[in-house]
Amino acid sequence: MSDPIGAGAPPSLAIVVPCYNEQEVLSDSAQELLTVVAGLVEAGRIHVRSRIYFVDDGSRDATWPMLEQLALRNPRIVAVALSRNRGHQNALYAGLSQTSEDMVVSIDADLQDGPENIAAMIDAFVAGNEVVFGVRTERDTDTWFKRMTAEGYYRVMQRLGVDLVFNHADFRLMSRRAVDTLLEYPETNLFLRGMVRELGFRSTTVSYARRPRLAGESKYPLRRMLSLAWRGVTAYSIAPLRAITLLGLLAGTVSLVLIAWVLVVKMFSGSAVPGWASIMVPVLFIGSVQLLCLGVIGEYLGKIYEEVKRRPRYHLREVVARQAVESESSRSDRSMARRCLVRLPEEM
Ligand code: UDP
Ligand code: MG
């Protein structure tokens, strides 16, 4: 990687903001983000050529005309439009693939994750971290229901063996290399907070208290939350498949006991209705055998699933040699990523 902080010039910053029907918050958010960027530039923390990328995710309100105006008036603002609504994760991905700056921060348009924390994220980046996760310390401004479901979800995911940062959503800073590496992941079902964790570069967290939404209402109603949650489980864990095998083993054990009981009743009590034992034994036996077989098929399905995702097997963190080594294989891909915006993967 070319040294992002080297050569005296501070690193450039890109802020990526997915927007879906955000007309109520947009002007305030844009203003606040511009102020934050201007402040950082003034303080010499980031390069003057830092930009804010707004991605319109097929909004049906005035979001796009507003974004166009903002981009025309401010050289620091880039407005990107998707052909139609593709969901938060895809919009974010599209925005990431447009950037070319040294650091990329993703943030929601309602600025619930305060942009004043970006300064701390940059500190962590300068200290050598490639990924800085924003972590919500308190959720007082969220409804009780949102808080319970969100926190319960992180717990369940941890139980299922999915490596997530607790209470981290999509407010994070990534180095150029981390972003380029992320863009190499070919999977269609994006669950970015899991994928970024998967990259494995040096990372840290920055904590902050979550603010209430500036205006407008949440674009994540329960249905979308459930869909994202389920995508996280199925994209990162084959535990549900494995559970079938366990269930099969359990059913097998229980049915063996029941079969023994049926036979005892049949042979020694004489109270069994004719035909009862000969029906019960096969029902119990075949039921558990079937579950077990489904579980075995599930195991293979899980393997196939992992294979078809074609995830990269590893990412290099560093190559040390006496001569300078060109370790940045993905830099040339970036221009391609910039061009293939319209070829976004279909959302489920
Ligand atoms: N968003 C999007 N596409 C969608 C839904 C949401 O780009 O289909 C954006 C939205 O504009 C916002 C971010 O995703 O910038 C998070 O949405 P929201 O703040 O409504 O979610 P919450 O904070 O309630 O979880
Ligand atoms: Mg929000």
Side-chain angles (χ1 to χ4, degrees), residues 12 32 38 75 125-126 147 153 173 182 199 215 240 248 259 270 300 347:
S12 56
E32 188 169 344
F125 170 81
V126 171
R147 203 159 63 224
Y153 176 64
L173 179 147
L182 180 76
L199 299 178
I259 286 170
Y300 283 98
E347 202 194 2

Side-chain angles (χ1 to χ4, degrees), residues 18 20 22 57 109-110 112 146 210 213 218-219 224:
Y20 178 56
E22 296 285 11
D57 185 17
D110 55 5
Q112 283 189 283
K146 175 115 194 174
R210 199 173 197 227
R213 205 173 216 286
S218 173
K219 309 298 179 293
R224 278 190 185 232

